Amino acid sequence: MLKKVYLRLPLKSKILLPLLLAFVSIWTLATISFGFFFTMVLEKELIEETKGVSSLITETLEREKKLLFQKGRWISDSKEVYQLVAKKDKSNLLRVLLPFKESLELDLVKVIDSKGEIIALLSQKEITSVDFDSTGINKAASNGINYFNLVAIKNNTGSLIIGLTSVKSAEKVLGGIIVGTIIDDKFLTRIRSNTQPHLVIFQGNQITASTLANVKSNSWEAPANDSSPVKVSIAEKNYIAYSVGIIGLNGTKSLLVLLNPDALLESCLKKMW
């Protein structure tokens, strides 16, 4: 039928119709190709942005780690502190440590002797139960070396970043000062600042802190440490997810996951198509 219609067309139409069909085909193919190319470019930019922000966040966490050690050093360098540690004077040591805890905005101050026995402990009530690496801490305290770790708080209500610095007299190592800061939702919101990706902390398979409200109540799988970014869906919204290990965790399985919303990407693609 189409052939009969074509044969009845004027000569001019017979010449133009194949050219028009060829043009439309080429234009359609070019448009689709450009669309897929543009999609790949936008996705690549979103992935690179996520990786770039991850570097900034890990640098911020590294500064927090160094600051924590510095706070511990300020306490251990106090002449009154190491004198009281040497005497194991618990009551007076608590009196001296309390102003340090408040002024340095610490959630935990714990003093142990060279054998790992607790001499003094000041902590926020949120830290009801923390699984410290006692063996690693005691070894670090007895040898006078620094120690750093990230441990989960009871019921996965947050994580605690801890650092140990030694307490020394002129002759020997007396013990260690353990200082800690809670990494909760507020902490992550602060270090996230104005960046686009949300931050999530995993301790093992449990989420202990996040800047995304509904992330804990939805089932999703974080990508492995330093693997390629992947797309994940949380509460019917899509994100580019990228995981990095937090430096200095002594082998513990802790991940910092960045979730970069691709809503802007989807909006651009929708308009383009």
Side-chain angles (χ1 to χ4, degrees):
M1 183 177 178
L2 291 175
K3 185 177 180 181
K4 291 181 180 180
V5 173
Y6 178 75
L7 292 174
R8 293 174 184 170
L9 292 174
L11 180 61
K12 183 177 179 181
S13 298
K14 290 180 181 179
I15 296 173
L16 290 177
L17 186 59
L19 294 175
L20 180 61
L21 290 173
F23 171 77
V24 171
S25 299
I26 294 172
W27 178 82
T28 302
L29 181 61
T31 302
I32 293 173
S33 299
F34 173 78
F36 280 111
F37 173 76
F38 186 67
T39 300
M40 291 175 62
V41 169
L42 286 180
E43 287 183 346
K44 185 177 180 180
E45 287 181 355
L46 191 62
I47 289 171
E48 292 303 318
E49 177 191 353
T50 306
K51 287 184 175 181
V53 173
S54 74
S55 298
L56 294 175
I57 298 299
T58 50
E59 287 175 7
T60 302
L61 283 174
E62 187 65 19
R63 287 196 295 271
E64 292 287 337
K65 170 186 170 182
K66 292 178 180 178
L67 179 59
L68 191 64
F69 275 125
Q70 186 61 53
K71 290 178 179 180
R73 179 55 58 194
W74 287 333
I75 298 174
S76 64
D77 284 346
S78 167
K79 184 178 180 180
E80 189 174 11
V81 167
Y82 78 70
Q83 286 177 342
L84 293 172
V85 172
K87 296 176 182 178
K88 295 187 178 181
D89 188 341
K90 295 184 179 182
S91 58
N92 283 316
L93 189 55
L94 287 171
R95 174 184 55 80
V96 172
L97 291 176
L98 186 58
F100 276 112
K101 177 181 178 295
E102 297 302 321
S103 62
L104 297 177
E105 298 181 341
L106 293 167
D107 298 309
L108 170 73
V109 179
K110 184 178 182 180
V111 183
I112 59 175
D113 62 19
S114 58
K115 296 180 180 179
E117 295 180 1
I118 299 174
I119 302 174
L121 174 63
L122 293 170
S123 66
Q124 299 295 92
K125 63 181 181 179
E126 298 97 306
I127 310 173
T128 55
S129 177
V130 173
D131 183 19
F132 289 100
D133 174 19
S134 300
T135 302
I137 289 176
N138 294 347
K139 184 178 180 180
S142 61
N143 293 330
I145 59 177
N146 289 337
Y147 173 95
F148 171 73
N149 208 344
L150 187 91
V151 292
I153 299 174
K154 187 177 180 181
N155 299 325
N156 295 308
T157 55
S159 297
L160 184 70
I161 182 173
I162 61 172
L164 176 143
T165 56
S166 59
V167 181
K168 302 176 182 178
S169 66
E171 297 82 20
K172 62 179 181 178
V173 176
L174 302 173
I177 301 284
I178 303 169
V179 291
T181 300
I182 294 175
I183 298 183
D184 54 11
D185 297 351
K186 291 181 180 179
F187 179 91
L188 290 184
T189 299
R190 176 170 62 83
I191 68 169
R192 179 194 177 203
S193 188
N194 295 321
T195 58
Q196 181 73 10
H198 286 280
L199 306 179
V200 183
I201 293 287
F202 274 84
Q203 288 284 143
N205 295 322
Q206 299 294 323
I207 297 174
T208 57
S210 172
T211 60
L212 188 59
N214 56 5
V215 74
K216 296 179 183 180
S217 58
N218 287 271
S219 177
W220 61 284
E221 186 175 349
N225 181 23
D226 287 331
S227 64
S228 300
V230 298
K231 279 189 176 183
V232 298
S233 181
I234 303 172
E236 299 182 353
K237 291 184 179 180
N238 295 323
Y239 301 86
I240 297 295
Y242 182 62
S243 297
V244 292
I246 302 176
I247 299 173
L249 299 180
N250 299 292
T252 55
K253 297 179 180 179
S254 302
L255 285 178
L256 170 67
V257 182
L258 288 86
L259 297 174
N260 203 355
D262 67 353
L264 181 60
L265 169 62
E266 292 177 349
S267 176
C268 289
L269 294 178
K270 185 177 180 180
K271 290 179 180 179
M272 181 192 71
W273 288 111

